[in-house]
Amino acid sequence: MRIITGQYKGRRFDIPRTFKARPTTDFAKENIFNVLSGYVDFDGATALDLFAGTGSISLEMLSRGCSQVVSVEADRDHARFISECVRKLQVDNHVLIRGDVFRFVKSCRQQFDLIFADPPYQLPNLPTIPDLIFEHQLLAPDGIFVFEHGKQNDFSQHPHFREHRAYGSVNFSLFQP
């Protein structure tokens, strides 16, 4: 896993083979972040990474200058790995929440400029996630919500849907308030 650009460009982290999480491919990550640069100024932005997995997206957001990145990950080993990566970068603007994403969303009182969610594609309640983000007002008024999902999901009829991007087998739907 590598950081594509920014302050920590080129830094690599070896993901343990035992991990169930699959990091977003470098190709897809680079392309979606290029798209996002038209929506959000990373420098000083607050960001939320739901279902953080390996932390690849969180690290990319930190590298690009986000003032705060909150990562939510339920798996103990994955959370430990994210914590180790952040420690190696020596950053102090990262918050790691080890816990259930759905509980976090319901209790969070902060708004974010950028929210990224990459749930397991087979998660039964995956289709409810965009609604939860907007019901709980987690996105700042000019913010962007990026939702990574499988090709079988179509969110184009959602009232906050803005666009869909596909890079290989990776699909992203973008939402705004």
Side-chain angles (χ1 to χ4, degrees):
M1 171 179 84
R2 77 179 171 97
I3 298 175
I4 305 293
T5 198
Q7 182 179 356
Y8 307 111
K9 178 182 180 177
R11 292 287 299 265
R12 293 183 177 276
F13 299 93
D14 294 324
I15 300 167
R17 295 187 195 281
T18 58
F19 274 22
K20 300 175 287 269
R22 38 140 191 79
T24 302
T25 64
D26 283 354
F27 175 72
K29 183 167 63 170
E30 183 171 9
N31 280 289
I32 196 62
F33 271 90
N34 286 340
V35 170
L36 289 176
S37 65
Y39 282 98
V40 66
D41 180 5
F42 291 100
D43 195 33
T46 56
L48 175 62
D49 185 6
L50 300 173
F51 305 95
T54 62
S56 173
I57 299 298
S58 294
L59 298 175
E60 193 69 37
M61 292 188 290
L62 287 165
S63 183
R64 290 172 185 251
C66 287
S67 64
Q68 180 191 39
V69 175
V70 176
S71 305
V72 183
E73 174 55 47
D75 185 278
R76 181 189 69 225
D77 294 332
H78 295 184
R80 185 179 303 125
F81 178 76
I82 294 168
S83 184
E84 288 172 15
C85 293
V86 168
R87 185 182 50 77
K88 288 177 184 174
L89 294 178
Q90 299 178 336
V91 297
D92 59 2
N93 57 336
H94 179 259
V95 176
L96 176 63
I97 307 290
R98 191 173 90 68
D100 179 75
V101 164
F102 295 97
R103 279 193 194 149
F104 174 83
V105 166
K106 290 175 184 173
S107 66
C108 182
R109 298 295 172 249
Q110 181 178 354
Q111 286 193 324
F112 299 90
D113 301 306
L114 171 61
I115 300 175
F116 195 102
D118 179 11
Y121 290 179
Q122 302 308 318
L123 189 70
N125 47 354
L126 180 144
T128 68
I129 294 171
D131 287 335
L132 289 172
I133 296 299
F134 290 100
E135 283 171 21
H136 294 279
Q137 301 177 351
L138 295 185
L139 199 56
D142 293 330
I144 185 84
F145 169 45
V146 181
F147 192 37
E148 185 174 334
H149 55 81
K151 65 181 177 188
Q152 72 277 11
N153 299 102
D154 178 7
F155 295 96
S156 61
Q157 298 306 307
H158 192 280
H160 296 285
F161 176 83
R162 291 298 172 260
E163 65 176 292
H164 173 262
R165 298 289 179 122
Y167 304 105
S169 62
V170 182
N171 288 267
F172 298 101
S173 287
L174 282 68
F175 303 84
Q176 286 189 301

